Amino acid sequence: MESIKNFNYEELMLKLGVYQSVEIDLQWGDEKTWEPIEELRENEYYTETSEDFQKLIKFISKPSTEVIGGFCPVCKSKTHFSIGIGKKLENKFLSGRIRTYTDSQIDGDWYVPELDEAMDKLCNTLVDFGKAKFFDKHFSCVKCKETYKVSFLLEYKKDTNKLILTKIGQYPRLSIIRGDENKSFDKILKKFDAVRDYQNATRNHVDGDNIASFVYLRRIVEKYIKYTFEKNIKIVNISEDEFSKKTTEEKISCLKKVLSDKNIPEILSQNKKLYSVMSKGIHELKENECAKMYDSIKNIIDSILDIELSKVKHKKITNSFQKELMEFQNNNK
């Protein structure tokens, strides 16, 4: 689990997936002394909360001074969002200190709590949030002023001296706000019943479930190969049963032997190992390993879909020209 120090506001709001967490280290530093210039004032001794804790408090209680970028589903365009506060907190959290005491408290034999005791009390009070255990952070489109929200759960792990911040909700979906839901391929994907697979691959990746995203990416490739075979079954000249018994790499090779690049994109035939990489991701690789491979694999799939889109566009342009040409010839006989 990564530390909150590695995330800025935009990453916590628009990149951290739902049910993904960051940790907040609570380990404090050395005690400091404040020595006043005025003789009548006494020395003050204090210990500051950790940088992680102070960053968390700022994230919960302060609006962002910077706007963050994203896609507004109301404006239906790329825009920027301003981030509001999450929850108002008492001064004891905002002070950045765990414990403070003076010389007179020592001389008067006042009780000064141990640091771990003071930090424990601070954390238990913080995570309570009026017994709700969570808080919302709202963000608004600077264009249309529409407001959205992200919900976070905060848990205190005393045994490890950490707080855990977990995103537990997002509206709208993270993939929409980030503009990752590409609708331009829907027309092609419908041809081989893969629209939902493409959407699910994107959403799982955005939410950090990259192994799950590989399942859907693999299904897209499987369905595309089956679609290509069925569309060209007379040319391929083997039975559906015989074709289905082949491995995916064998299927691609089989199609490539009898079909031109016009029918089977070269980018697929040159990357026959694509399927086996996705299968390995599903069965063997870790989430972070799949995350590293995701963009490369999806780019290949997107390139194949781009090629299919260009075929549709080319056919449409050609048919339109032939129709107009025929009308022109008929009118000029």
Side-chain angles (χ1 to χ4, degrees):
M1 191 184 305
E2 289 194 66
S3 167
I4 194 173
K5 67 167 63 78
N6 298 328
F7 292 79
N8 57 30
Y9 269 45
E10 181 172 5
E11 289 166 337
L12 287 170
M13 297 287 287
L14 301 186
K15 293 186 180 179
L16 187 70
V18 176
Y19 298 115
Q20 287 189 314
S21 306
V22 295
E23 63 180 20
I24 296 91
D25 188 359
L26 302 175
Q27 189 55 53
W28 51 85
D30 296 332
E31 185 174 78
K32 299 179 180 180
T33 303
W34 179 73
E35 298 178 353
I37 299 175
E38 302 90 339
E39 292 183 4
L40 296 178
R41 298 192 65 180
E42 56 186 331
N43 290 339
E44 187 174 275
Y45 308 95
Y46 64 93
T47 304
E48 295 176 323
T49 53
S50 67
E51 289 184 12
D52 279 14
F53 188 82
Q54 291 179 34
K55 184 169 184 175
L56 172 69
I57 295 301
K58 184 178 178 181
F59 178 70
I60 294 172
S61 63
K62 303 289 183 183
S64 174
T65 56
E66 300 178 4
V67 292
I68 59 176
F71 180 86
C72 176
V74 173
C75 293
K76 298 190 183 302
S77 63
K78 289 185 178 179
T79 185
H80 289 85
F81 301 99
S82 58
I83 305 177
I85 68 168
K87 195 87 170 178
K88 289 185 178 180
L89 297 176
E90 300 173 53
N91 286 334
K92 61 184 176 183
F93 298 110
L94 304 176
S95 69
R97 297 182 177 186
I98 304 171
R99 181 184 69 181
T100 303
Y101 61 95
T102 61
D103 286 329
S104 61
Q105 288 177 284
I106 299 173
D107 296 339
D109 200 24
W110 285 22
Y111 174 70
V112 177
E114 294 294 329
L115 283 169
D116 56 352
E117 180 186 346
M119 193 72 226
D120 184 56
K121 184 177 180 181
L122 199 64
C123 288
N124 278 312
T125 306
L126 175 63
V127 300
D128 186 60
F129 290 125
K131 298 184 178 179
K133 303 297 182 186
F134 64 89
F135 65 95
D136 295 330
K137 286 283 284 187
H138 292 85
F139 57 106
S140 303
C141 174
V142 297
K143 292 181 180 178
C144 67
K145 310 303 179 185
E146 187 73 16
T147 299
Y148 308 108
K149 76 173 184 179
V150 182
S151 298
F152 292 94
L153 171 71
L154 188 64
E155 299 173 284
Y156 173 39
K157 304 295 184 182
K158 185 177 179 180
D159 56 333
T160 58
N161 200 34
K162 295 182 188 299
L163 288 165
I164 306 297
L165 180 70
T166 304
K167 182 185 284 188
I168 58 172
Q170 174 107 36
Y171 179 80
R173 288 191 306 271
L174 189 55
S175 53
I176 294 176
I177 291 293
R178 280 177 44 171
D180 290 335
E181 296 202 354
N182 190 339
K183 299 289 186 181
S184 64
F185 294 135
D186 283 4
K187 188 172 182 178
I188 295 301
L189 291 164
K190 282 179 183 177
K191 290 179 179 291
F192 48 98
D193 190 30
V195 175
R196 290 296 298 274
D197 296 312
Y198 191 90
Q199 291 173 346
N200 287 332
T202 301
R203 292 169 191 174
N204 277 286
H205 169 65
V206 169
D207 287 339
D209 298 324
N210 291 288
I211 295 174
S213 73
F214 271 40
V215 173
Y216 292 105
L217 291 176
R218 188 173 71 168
R219 288 182 66 176
I220 294 169
V221 173
E222 289 172 341
K223 289 181 177 181
Y224 176 73
I225 292 170
K226 187 173 185 290
Y227 161 76
T228 303
F229 169 73
E230 291 173 346
K231 192 170 68 169
N232 299 280
I233 190 167
K234 291 182 180 179
I235 302 173
V236 178
N237 199 29
I238 64 171
S239 69
E240 189 171 345
D241 182 59
E242 187 180 352
F243 187 77
S244 66
K245 290 177 181 178
K246 295 179 180 292
T247 66
T248 300
E249 289 184 31
E250 288 172 343
K251 287 177 182 178
I252 295 172
S253 296
C254 175
L255 292 172
K256 180 62 179 174
K257 282 180 183 178
V258 294
L259 299 177
S260 66
D261 290 340
K262 180 180 177 182
N263 299 98
I264 179 77
E266 188 176 3
I267 193 170
L268 179 60
S269 59
Q270 287 181 342
N271 292 278
K272 290 185 291 185
K273 295 292 183 182
L274 176 68
Y275 187 86
S276 60
V277 170
M278 289 186 288
S279 296
K280 185 173 182 179
I282 295 167
H283 299 294
E284 298 179 34
L285 300 183
K286 297 178 181 177
E287 286 287 357
N288 63 327
E289 292 173 315
C290 288
K292 289 178 181 178
M293 291 292 297
Y294 176 85
D295 284 340
S296 296
I297 291 172
K298 186 169 178 292
N299 285 341
I300 289 178
I301 292 173
D302 284 353
S303 293
I304 293 169
L305 297 175
D306 272 327
I307 291 169
E308 292 295 331
L309 268 179
S310 68
K311 291 179 189 177
V312 173
K313 184 178 179 180
H314 175 74
K315 186 176 181 180
K316 185 177 180 181
I317 292 171
T318 302
N319 289 343
S320 177
F321 172 73
Q322 290 175 343
K323 182 180 178 182
E324 290 180 11
L325 180 62
M326 186 176 293
E327 290 175 356
F328 175 79
Q329 290 172 335
N330 291 333
N331 292 332
N332 288 275
K333 283 183 178 179

